[in-house]
């Protein structure tokens, strides 16, 4: 039966009709966009009756849909980059996407080229013969509504290709800047060649009001490649923040990521991890802080499709006020994926009686020679530890801050990227200062 569309869904269809002639892409890309719009038309936005969105009902949250953001002024983008420098003095290369479009003038293209990294505007890639490859759905979540929304409206982004054997000395910050109101929809492809090594920082600055931010990051790590991706989602934005990772991991490769969320009204960080080569490893970490009436969702699906691979998932959540936290994690082990080793743990700290945490770790195992485990905990601050600190003259608020920082820092430090640890812990202190 046809569904009755909400105001936001009707706005999205109007947005598409108004923008489709300006959206980049070949004929094949346009067909993918049309198919994605048809999916939204048939199913609507993701809602609580869709199992993966049971605890984070996007359809109920989005009351309307803003138009796509207009082209950014470079001067305003530079100003925001200076004002909201999230990693301080950390030496890094920078790639800038402003209001959904890649800004070459503010990006370190030549410096990266000298280290074996090629950077291409996504819109140029979409117009090419193989442009449709950049909008393909993830195998693990082929019907995901957020990815469909991204496919329909993607404005631009970057394609980053690390040459075979290239080791990029500095981290690369891929920063999304919103200089005006409106929605921002981007797709970014990161390809690490065989034996290559890249550390990626994904940041988001500026305000977009009620408009959603929808960004998809498509990672491809070739054999013996290494990729570490740190995602920082902070700020008191009122619109939905929808971030998706699609990772394909080759043989003897290493992939690790940390998704850090603090402040947005509605934030969902979802990851689809696919092992395609043997003897590889994935380490996935999450740090979440939410207060007031915020909702923060960390969703993860790891597909062990080949033997002899390891995965570790470790997530920490702190909730205050009436906030709701969500963790949904699933490890899939295929029948022939013997010798798989997978461990998943999610821990939540509730600072108020009204805070609520939904933990849903899952294992789906079809092989018989595996080591897999999962666990979940939720609780309050340990009163004995709090008393211990107060008995030594530390004020109660400061003592609570120390305990919360220690709780979250366990995941940050296990992530192991020492040069970004200080910046992440500074963001924790900033959030705690307001709660």
């Amino acid at each position: 039966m046809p569904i009755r569309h909400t105001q936001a869904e009707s706005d999205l269809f109007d947005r598409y009709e108004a923008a489709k002639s300006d959206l980049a892409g070949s004929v094949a890309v346009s067909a993918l966009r049309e198919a994605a719009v048809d999916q939204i038309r048939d199913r609507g936005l993701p809602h609580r009756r869709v199992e993966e969105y049971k605890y984070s009902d996007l359809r109920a949250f989005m009351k309307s849909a803003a138009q796509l953001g207009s082209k950014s002024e470079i001067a305003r983008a530079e100003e925001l980059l200076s004002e909201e420098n999230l990693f301080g003095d950390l030496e890094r290369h920078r790639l800038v996407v402003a209001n959904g479009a890649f800004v070459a003038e503010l990006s370190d293209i030549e410096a990266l080229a000298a280290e074996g990294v090629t950077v291409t505007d996504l819109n140029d890639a979409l117009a090419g013969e193989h442009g449709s490859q950049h909008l393909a759905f993830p195998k693990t979540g082929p019907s995901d509504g957020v990815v469909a929304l991204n496919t329909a409206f993607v404005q631009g982004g970057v394609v980053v290709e690390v040459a075979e054997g290239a080791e990029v000395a500095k981290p690369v910050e891929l920063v999304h800047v919103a200089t005006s109101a409106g929605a921002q929809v981007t797709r970014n492809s990161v390809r690490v060649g065989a034996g290559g090594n890249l550390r990626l920082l994904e940041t988001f600055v500026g305000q977009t009001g009620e408009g959603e931010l929808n960004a998809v990051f498509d990672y491809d790590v070739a054999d013996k490649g290494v990729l570490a991706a740190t995602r920082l989602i902070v700020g008191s934005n009122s619109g939905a923040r929808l971030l998706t990772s699609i990772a394909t991991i080759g043989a003897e490769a290493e992939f690790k990521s940390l998704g850090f969320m603090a402040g947005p009204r509605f934030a969902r960080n979802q990851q689809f991890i696919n092992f395609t080569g043997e003897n590889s490893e994935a380490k996935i970490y999450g740090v979440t802080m939410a207060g007031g009436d915020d909702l923060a969702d960390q969703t993860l699906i790891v597909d062990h499709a080949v033997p002899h691979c390891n995965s570790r998932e470790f997530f920490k959540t702190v909730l205050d006020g009436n906030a709701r936290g969500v963790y949904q994690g699933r490890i899939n082990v295929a029948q022939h994926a013997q010798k798989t080793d997978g461990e998943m743990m999610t821990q939540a700290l509730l600072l108020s009686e009204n805070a609520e945490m939904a933990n849903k770790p899952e294992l789906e195992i079809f092989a018989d020679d595996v080591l897999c485990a999962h666990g979940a905990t939720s609780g309050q601050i340990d009163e004995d530890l709090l008393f211990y600190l107060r008995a030594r003259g530390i004020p109660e608020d400061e003592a609570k801050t120390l305990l919360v920082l220690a709780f979250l820092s366990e995941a940050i430090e296990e992530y192991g990227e020492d040069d970004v640890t200080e910046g992440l812990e500074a963001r924790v202190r900033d959030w705690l200062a307001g709660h």
Side-chain angles (χ1 to χ4, degrees), residues 20-57:
K20 67 179 182 180
S21 61
D22 297 323
L23 294 172
S26 62
V27 173
V29 167
S30 297
L32 286 173
R33 293 185 187 274
E34 291 285 351
V37 173
D38 288 342
Q39 177 179 318
I40 299 168
R41 187 174 286 109
D42 292 342
R43 305 179 187 181
L45 291 169
H47 51 80
R48 62 185 177 86
R49 292 186 180 179
V50 177
E51 183 63 26
E52 293 80 7
Y53 290 83
K54 180 178 180 180
Y55 304 104
S56 49
D57 191 333

Side-chain angles (χ1 to χ4, degrees), residues 109 184 342:
I109 298 175
Q184 186 176 183

Side-chain angles (χ1 to χ4, degrees), residues 261-338:
M261 298 196 295
R265 176 68 182 82
F266 184 109
R268 179 179 172 98
N269 183 46
Q270 59 179 12
Q271 303 180 70
F272 304 103
I273 314 297
N274 303 282
F275 286 99
T276 60
E278 296 186 25
N279 300 305
S280 294
E281 184 174 53
K283 296 180 179 180
I284 315 300
Y285 300 90
V287 172
T288 302
M289 293 165 285
D293 294 318
D294 297 344
L295 181 143
D297 180 341
Q298 296 265 20
T299 292
L300 171 69
I301 298 177
V302 180
D303 254 350
H304 283 270
V306 295
H308 302 285
C309 290
N310 302 332
S311 68
R312 295 291 182 270
E313 296 81 31
F314 190 28
F315 287 74
K316 295 271 193 171
T317 302
V318 173
L319 303 174
D320 199 4
N322 299 312
R324 289 181 295 149
V326 179
Y327 174 79
Q328 302 178 101
R330 186 169 80 240
I331 297 175
N332 298 326
V333 182
Q335 186 173 3
H336 58 277
Q338 305 294 348

Side-chain angles (χ1 to χ4, degrees), residues 149-274:
L149 196 61
N150 181 278
T151 300
F153 294 103
V154 61
Q155 301 163 275
V158 292
V159 178
V160 179
E161 298 174 286
V162 180
E164 183 175 333
E167 296 192 16
V168 186
K170 299 179 183 178
V172 176
E173 182 184 16
L174 176 50
V175 54
H176 287 64
V177 185
T179 64
S180 60
Q184 186 176 183
V185 185
T186 68
R187 183 75 65 105
N188 304 281
S189 295
V190 179
R191 305 284 183 260
V192 178
N197 191 319
L198 176 68
R199 291 174 296 157
L200 186 67
L201 310 176
E202 301 161 4
T203 58
F204 308 86
V205 302
Q207 301 292 325
T208 57
E210 294 294 332
E212 80 271 10
L213 165 67
N214 187 327
V216 171
F217 296 82
D218 186 0
Y219 311 124
D220 190 335
V221 186
D223 297 352
K224 298 184 179 180
V226 178
L227 173 61
T230 307
R231 178 171 299 161
L232 193 56
I233 311 163
V234 296
S236 56
N237 307 96
S238 57
R241 296 293 174 267
L242 309 171
L243 290 303
T244 303
S245 298
I246 305 167
T248 302
I249 307 171
E252 300 180 48
E254 179 182 342
F255 171 74
K256 64 178 181 178
S257 71
L258 185 144
F260 185 105
M261 298 196 295
R265 176 68 182 82
F266 184 109
R268 179 179 172 98
N269 183 46
Q270 59 179 12
Q271 303 180 70
F272 304 103
I273 314 297
N274 303 282

